[in-house]
Amino acid sequence: MEEGPPVNDVCSVCHGGFNIPCQANCSHWFCGNCILLVWQHGSALQPCKCPLCRRQITLLVPAGASQRQRNDPEVSAIVGRVEQYNRSFGRCDSSLFQRMRDLPFLLRRLLRELMDPQRSLPLLIRARVYFAMLSSIIYIVSPVDIIPEGVVGILGLFDDFIIAFICFLHIAAIYRSVLVNRHGGS
């Protein structure tokens, strides 16, 4: 399944069809050049904010078709600037709140990548993701708990939710580093 913006959608900056579409970490799609112009219009020393939801954009992921058109000089220049943006802001530490807001975007992309046989995550990354998922599942289903359900009832599920949440944050952090390396021209 090809990743890209919704079929009948338009760029919210230029209100035209997508040219070199890029998805921000808030899940909104923009023309690559349009979102870079938004960034350049503000302070070039900090990430720009999404024109739609006002969240800080710390990662831009070009659509797969844009990556395949890198031999076109215009596409190559814009993708190169997107990579520079990701090098500047993709690795910066973000708050727990920002990481929680990025979870749906990162986990949805990761799931799509894990299910697509034509895409390949490095074996070590896949192993880390599977190990984190397996170890959290084992903890959740095991009778040994930090807060036992048998003693405190439904409140005992709280530690299970915390473990699952930490697992999701860890997996998202692993995948974010993959995206930054892939689209940051490391």
Side-chain angles (χ1 to χ4, degrees):
M1 182 167 136
E2 180 65 30
E3 66 183 69
V7 178
N8 295 324
D9 203 4
V10 295
C11 173
S12 62
V13 176
C14 69
H15 302 289
F18 289 100
N19 182 22
I20 311 168
C22 292
Q23 188 177 29
N25 58 296
C26 60
S27 296
H28 292 120
W29 287 91
F30 304 97
C31 296
N33 197 44
C34 291
I35 197 62
L36 291 170
L37 288 173
V38 169
W39 171 51
Q40 290 171 343
H41 181 70
S43 171
L45 299 176
Q46 58 185 330
C48 67
K49 293 191 179 209
C50 174
L52 295 172
C53 66
R54 306 303 301 154
R55 280 183 52 198
Q56 205 172 50
I57 297 175
T58 57
L59 183 64
L60 289 170
V61 180
S66 301
Q67 294 292 87
R68 288 189 295 275
Q69 297 173 346
R70 290 269 330 228
N71 56 351
D72 179 343
E74 178 190 359
V75 173
S76 182
I78 291 174
V79 170
R81 288 174 44 217
V82 165
E83 288 175 350
Q84 180 216 351
Y85 184 92
N86 288 337
R87 276 192 304 275
S88 298
F89 307 114
R91 289 183 175 90
C92 58
D93 290 330
S94 56
S95 67
L96 177 62
F97 185 66
Q98 176 73 27
R99 291 177 190 206
M100 289 182 344
R101 292 178 82 180
D102 288 349
L103 266 178
F105 165 75
L106 292 168
L107 293 178
R108 194 172 27 247
R109 285 191 75 92
L110 175 64
L111 184 63
R112 210 174 321 144
E113 194 157 335
L114 287 172
M115 296 299 165
D116 189 350
Q118 294 184 352
R119 304 181 110 196
S120 65
L121 278 173
L123 182 61
L124 183 61
I125 299 298
R126 281 183 183 266
R128 288 176 66 189
V129 167
Y130 292 143
F131 178 75
M133 289 184 340
L134 182 65
S135 58
S136 65
I137 289 171
I138 288 172
Y139 178 82
I140 290 170
V141 299
S142 77
V144 178
D145 278 338
I146 295 170
I147 305 172
E149 285 89 5
V151 175
V152 291
I154 195 127
L155 192 61
L157 294 175
F158 184 69
D159 66 325
D160 293 339
F161 288 120
I162 297 238
I163 294 296
F165 177 68
I166 290 170
C167 175
F168 286 139
L169 282 177
H170 179 68
I171 289 170
I174 291 170
Y175 187 60
R176 180 181 181 83
S177 69
V178 168
L179 288 177
V180 168
N181 286 332
R182 187 183 293 163
H183 301 292
S186 58

Short mmCIF file of all heavy atoms in Angstrom, two decimals, residues 6-35:
data_model
loop_
_atom_site.label_atom_id
_atom_site.label_comp_id
_atom_site.label_asym_id
_atom_site.label_seq_id
_atom_site.Cartn_x
_atom_site.Cartn_y
_atom_site.Cartn_z
N PRO A 6 -4.18 11.85 1.57
CA PRO A 6 -5.49 11.40 1.10
C PRO A 6 -5.75 11.86 -0.34
O PRO A 6 -5.30 12.94 -0.74
CB PRO A 6 -6.46 12.07 2.08
CG PRO A 6 -5.65 12.33 3.30
CD PRO A 6 -4.25 12.58 2.81
N VAL A 7 -6.45 11.04 -1.09
CA VAL A 7 -6.62 11.26 -2.53
C VAL A 7 -7.24 12.62 -2.86
O VAL A 7 -6.76 13.34 -3.72
CB VAL A 7 -7.48 10.12 -3.14
CG1 VAL A 7 -7.72 10.35 -4.61
CG2 VAL A 7 -6.80 8.79 -2.91
N ASN A 8 -8.29 13.01 -2.20
CA ASN A 8 -8.99 14.25 -2.55
C ASN A 8 -8.56 15.43 -1.69
O ASN A 8 -9.25 16.44 -1.64
CB ASN A 8 -10.50 14.05 -2.43
CG ASN A 8 -11.00 13.05 -3.44
OD1 ASN A 8 -10.50 13.00 -4.56
ND2 ASN A 8 -11.96 12.23 -3.06
N ASP A 9 -7.43 15.33 -1.02
CA ASP A 9 -6.97 16.38 -0.12
C ASP A 9 -6.06 17.34 -0.87
O ASP A 9 -5.54 17.03 -1.94
CB ASP A 9 -6.21 15.75 1.05
CG ASP A 9 -6.18 16.64 2.28
OD1 ASP A 9 -6.80 17.72 2.24
OD2 ASP A 9 -5.53 16.27 3.26
N VAL A 10 -5.89 18.55 -0.33
CA VAL A 10 -4.98 19.55 -0.89
C VAL A 10 -4.07 20.06 0.22
O VAL A 10 -4.39 19.94 1.40
CB VAL A 10 -5.74 20.73 -1.54
CG1 VAL A 10 -6.54 20.28 -2.73
CG2 VAL A 10 -6.62 21.44 -0.53
N CYS A 11 -2.98 20.66 -0.17
CA CYS A 11 -2.05 21.26 0.78
C CYS A 11 -2.75 22.43 1.47
O CYS A 11 -3.35 23.28 0.80
CB CYS A 11 -0.80 21.74 0.05
SG CYS A 11 0.35 22.67 1.08
N SER A 12 -2.67 22.49 2.78
CA SER A 12 -3.37 23.55 3.51
C SER A 12 -2.62 24.88 3.46
O SER A 12 -3.15 25.89 3.89
CB SER A 12 -3.58 23.14 4.97
OG SER A 12 -2.33 22.94 5.58
N VAL A 13 -1.42 24.89 2.90
CA VAL A 13 -0.67 26.14 2.78
C VAL A 13 -0.97 26.79 1.43
O VAL A 13 -1.39 27.95 1.37
CB VAL A 13 0.84 25.91 2.95
CG1 VAL A 13 1.63 27.18 2.74
CG2 VAL A 13 1.13 25.32 4.33
N CYS A 14 -0.80 26.05 0.33
CA CYS A 14 -1.01 26.63 -1.01
C CYS A 14 -2.40 26.34 -1.58
O CYS A 14 -2.78 26.91 -2.60
CB CYS A 14 0.06 26.12 -1.98
SG CYS A 14 -0.07 24.36 -2.40
N HIS A 15 -3.15 25.46 -0.94
CA HIS A 15 -4.50 25.06 -1.37
C HIS A 15 -4.52 24.46 -2.76
O HIS A 15 -5.53 24.51 -3.45
CB HIS A 15 -5.48 26.23 -1.27
CG HIS A 15 -5.57 26.79 0.11
ND1 HIS A 15 -6.16 26.12 1.14
CD2 HIS A 15 -5.08 27.95 0.63
CE1 HIS A 15 -6.07 26.85 2.25
NE2 HIS A 15 -5.41 27.95 1.97
N GLY A 16 -3.40 23.87 -3.17
CA GLY A 16 -3.31 23.18 -4.45
C GLY A 16 -3.00 21.72 -4.23
O GLY A 16 -2.85 21.26 -3.09
N GLY A 17 -2.92 20.98 -5.32
CA GLY A 17 -2.55 19.57 -5.23
C GLY A 17 -1.15 19.44 -4.65
O GLY A 17 -0.33 20.36 -4.75
N PHE A 18 -0.87 18.31 -4.06
CA PHE A 18 0.42 18.11 -3.39
C PHE A 18 1.56 18.00 -4.39
O PHE A 18 1.48 17.24 -5.34
CB PHE A 18 0.38 16.85 -2.52
CG PHE A 18 -0.48 17.01 -1.30
CD1 PHE A 18 -1.76 16.51 -1.27
CD2 PHE A 18 0.00 17.67 -0.18
CE1 PHE A 18 -2.55 16.66 -0.15
CE2 PHE A 18 -0.77 17.83 0.95
CZ PHE A 18 -2.06 17.32 0.96
N ASN A 19 2.59 18.78 -4.15
CA ASN A 19 3.82 18.70 -4.92
C ASN A 19 4.92 18.30 -3.93
O ASN A 19 5.23 19.06 -3.02
CB ASN A 19 4.12 20.05 -5.57
CG ASN A 19 5.37 20.01 -6.42
OD1 ASN A 19 5.79 18.95 -6.86
ND2 ASN A 19 5.98 21.17 -6.63
N ILE A 20 5.48 17.12 -4.11
CA ILE A 20 6.47 16.55 -3.19
C ILE A 20 5.87 16.51 -1.78
O ILE A 20 6.29 17.22 -0.87
CB ILE A 20 7.80 17.33 -3.22
CG1 ILE A 20 8.24 17.52 -4.67
CG2 ILE A 20 8.87 16.58 -2.42
CD1 ILE A 20 9.36 18.51 -4.84
N PRO A 21 4.83 15.68 -1.59
CA PRO A 21 4.14 15.65 -0.31
C PRO A 21 5.01 15.14 0.84
O PRO A 21 5.80 14.21 0.67
CB PRO A 21 2.97 14.70 -0.56
CG PRO A 21 3.32 13.93 -1.77
CD PRO A 21 4.30 14.73 -2.55
N CYS A 22 4.86 15.79 2.00
CA CYS A 22 5.56 15.41 3.22
C CYS A 22 4.56 15.35 4.35
O CYS A 22 3.68 16.21 4.46
CB CYS A 22 6.64 16.44 3.57
SG CYS A 22 8.01 16.50 2.42
N GLN A 23 4.69 14.33 5.19
CA GLN A 23 3.82 14.20 6.35
C GLN A 23 4.59 14.65 7.59
O GLN A 23 5.72 14.24 7.81
CB GLN A 23 3.35 12.76 6.52
CG GLN A 23 2.30 12.60 7.60
CD GLN A 23 1.77 11.18 7.70
OE1 GLN A 23 2.47 10.22 7.40
NE2 GLN A 23 0.54 11.04 8.14
N ALA A 24 3.96 15.51 8.36
CA ALA A 24 4.57 16.00 9.59
C ALA A 24 4.26 15.04 10.73
O ALA A 24 3.35 14.20 10.63
CB ALA A 24 4.03 17.40 9.92
N ASN A 25 4.98 15.17 11.84
CA ASN A 25 4.75 14.29 12.98
C ASN A 25 3.38 14.48 13.62
O ASN A 25 2.96 13.67 14.43
CB ASN A 25 5.85 14.44 14.03
CG ASN A 25 6.00 15.85 14.55
OD1 ASN A 25 6.34 16.74 13.79
ND2 ASN A 25 5.77 16.04 15.82
N CYS A 26 2.64 15.51 13.22
CA CYS A 26 1.26 15.68 13.69
C CYS A 26 0.28 14.97 12.76
O CYS A 26 -0.93 15.05 12.96
CB CYS A 26 0.92 17.16 13.79
SG CYS A 26 1.04 18.05 12.23
N SER A 27 0.78 14.30 11.74
CA SER A 27 0.02 13.52 10.75
C SER A 27 -0.57 14.34 9.62
O SER A 27 -1.21 13.78 8.74
CB SER A 27 -1.09 12.66 11.40
OG SER A 27 -0.52 11.70 12.25
N HIS A 28 -0.39 15.64 9.59
CA HIS A 28 -0.90 16.46 8.49
C HIS A 28 0.08 16.42 7.32
O HIS A 28 1.29 16.28 7.51
CB HIS A 28 -1.11 17.91 8.95
CG HIS A 28 -2.23 18.05 9.92
ND1 HIS A 28 -2.05 18.55 11.19
CD2 HIS A 28 -3.53 17.72 9.82
CE1 HIS A 28 -3.21 18.54 11.82
NE2 HIS A 28 -4.12 18.03 11.02
N TRP A 29 -0.47 16.55 6.11
CA TRP A 29 0.32 16.50 4.88
C TRP A 29 0.46 17.91 4.30
O TRP A 29 -0.49 18.69 4.32
CB TRP A 29 -0.36 15.60 3.85
CG TRP A 29 -0.26 14.16 4.16
CD1 TRP A 29 -1.14 13.40 4.88
CD2 TRP A 29 0.79 13.27 3.76
NE1 TRP A 29 -0.69 12.11 4.95
CE2 TRP A 29 0.48 12.00 4.28
CE3 TRP A 29 1.96 13.44 3.02
CZ2 TRP A 29 1.30 10.89 4.06
CZ3 TRP A 29 2.77 12.34 2.81
CH2 TRP A 29 2.45 11.09 3.33
N PHE A 30 1.64 18.19 3.73
CA PHE A 30 1.91 19.46 3.09
C PHE A 30 2.79 19.22 1.88
O PHE A 30 3.48 18.21 1.80
CB PHE A 30 2.67 20.41 4.04
CG PHE A 30 1.99 20.64 5.35
CD1 PHE A 30 2.34 19.91 6.47
CD2 PHE A 30 0.97 21.57 5.46
CE1 PHE A 30 1.72 20.12 7.68
CE2 PHE A 30 0.33 21.79 6.66
CZ PHE A 30 0.71 21.05 7.78
N CYS A 31 2.81 20.21 0.95
CA CYS A 31 3.83 20.19 -0.09
C CYS A 31 5.15 20.41 0.63
O CYS A 31 5.24 21.22 1.56
CB CYS A 31 3.61 21.33 -1.08
SG CYS A 31 2.08 21.25 -2.03
N GLY A 32 6.18 19.72 0.19
CA GLY A 32 7.49 19.87 0.84
C GLY A 32 7.95 21.31 0.85
O GLY A 32 8.41 21.84 1.86
N ASN A 33 7.85 21.98 -0.30
CA ASN A 33 8.30 23.36 -0.39
C ASN A 33 7.44 24.29 0.47
O ASN A 33 7.96 25.22 1.09
CB ASN A 33 8.32 23.84 -1.84
CG ASN A 33 9.15 25.07 -2.02
OD1 ASN A 33 10.26 25.16 -1.48
ND2 ASN A 33 8.63 26.03 -2.74
N CYS A 34 6.14 24.05 0.54
CA CYS A 34 5.24 24.91 1.32
C CYS A 34 5.59 24.89 2.80
O CYS A 34 5.69 25.94 3.44
CB CYS A 34 3.79 24.49 1.13
SG CYS A 34 3.14 24.81 -0.53
N ILE A 35 5.79 23.71 3.36
CA ILE A 35 6.07 23.64 4.80
C ILE A 35 7.46 24.19 5.10
O ILE A 35 7.69 24.79 6.16
CB ILE A 35 5.86 22.21 5.36
CG1 ILE A 35 5.73 22.25 6.88
CG2 ILE A 35 6.91 21.25 4.90
CD1 ILE A 35 4.57 23.03 7.41
#
